[in-house]
């Protein structure tokens, strides 16, 4: 049974939202992808959002561009944690989406990551689930250690070959 629902309003968002799924796969977390438009099919969206808990979903990652109502509407319809991913658009570069998602009214919070920050949404969903899962917590600690080691290796390489060679490689 999926623990995380990744939802987006358009298939054009999948290229961005896939980073969340990729991270969840790395952590061994079951998830599902959904394309549901809060604007074009509100009845379907309302039913889907209201049934999340009954289907075993623990966290929702909702990506949206332009008006970006999908994450906020998810948060309004379910008490589950919702992580919003503002999608970069050609019109305003995703700033419109960011403002729409982050500026929620009191009582309807949406945790919001950076524009196109789907990987961070996957990481945050994992951290939420790890609160009650020691094995998942250990995987997150290992991931953090790997990131630190990667930076250390890059620093050593920079010192070894110099800035010009580093930038060319």
């Amino acid at each position: 049974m999926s623990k995380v629902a990744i939802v987006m309003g358009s298939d054009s968002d999948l290229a961005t939202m896939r980073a969340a799924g990729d991270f969840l796969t790395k952590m061994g977390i079951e998830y599902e992808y959904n394309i549901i438009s809060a604007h074009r099919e509100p009845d379907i969206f309302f039913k889907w959002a209201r049934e999340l808990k009954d289907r075993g979903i623990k966290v929702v990652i909702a990506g949206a561009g332009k008006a970006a109502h999908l994450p906020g509407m998810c948060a309004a319809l379910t008490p589950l944690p919702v992580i919003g991913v503002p999608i970069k658009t050609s019109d305003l570069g995703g700033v419109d989406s960011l403002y729409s998602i982050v500026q929620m009214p009191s009582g309807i919070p949406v945790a919001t990551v950076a524009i196109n920050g789907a990987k961070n949404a996957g990481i945050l969903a994992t951290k939420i689930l790890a609160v009650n899962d020691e094995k998942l917590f250990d995987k997150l600690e290992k991931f953090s250690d790997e990131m630190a080691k990667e930076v250390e290796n890059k620093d050593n390489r920079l010192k070894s070959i110099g800035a010009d060679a580093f930038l060319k490689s």
Side-chain angles (χ1 to χ4, degrees), residues 20-141:
D22 290 348
F23 187 82
L24 295 172
T25 296
K26 179 178 179 168
M27 293 291 115
I29 297 170
E30 293 183 33
Y31 63 93
E32 63 184 42
Y33 285 118
N34 304 272
I35 299 171
I36 305 172
S37 173
H39 296 116
R40 294 180 191 99
E41 46 187 13
D43 293 338
I44 291 169
F45 172 71
F46 275 52
K47 182 179 185 319
W48 175 85
R50 288 187 171 133
E51 293 176 350
L52 288 165
K53 184 178 180 286
D54 293 339
R55 294 190 299 106
I57 299 296
K58 304 292 185 202
V59 181
V60 178
I61 299 173
K66 299 198 178 191
H69 293 122
L70 192 64
M73 287 305 300
C74 282
L77 294 167
T78 180
L80 295 173
V82 176
I83 303 165
V85 179
I87 304 291
K88 183 177 181 180
T89 61
S90 59
D91 297 332
L92 298 172
V95 174
D96 51 338
S97 307
L98 174 65
Y99 289 162
S100 181
I101 296 170
V102 78
Q103 289 293 95
M104 293 301 298
S106 180
I108 312 294
V110 174
T112 309
V113 296
I115 296 168
N116 283 358
K119 181 176 180 181
N120 271 353
I123 294 168
L124 183 54
T126 303
K127 288 183 174 195
I128 292 168
L129 295 171
V131 169
N132 293 312
D133 186 330
E134 197 64 36
K135 288 180 184 178
L136 198 50
F137 190 88
D138 292 343
K139 287 181 181 182
L140 279 170
E141 284 187 320

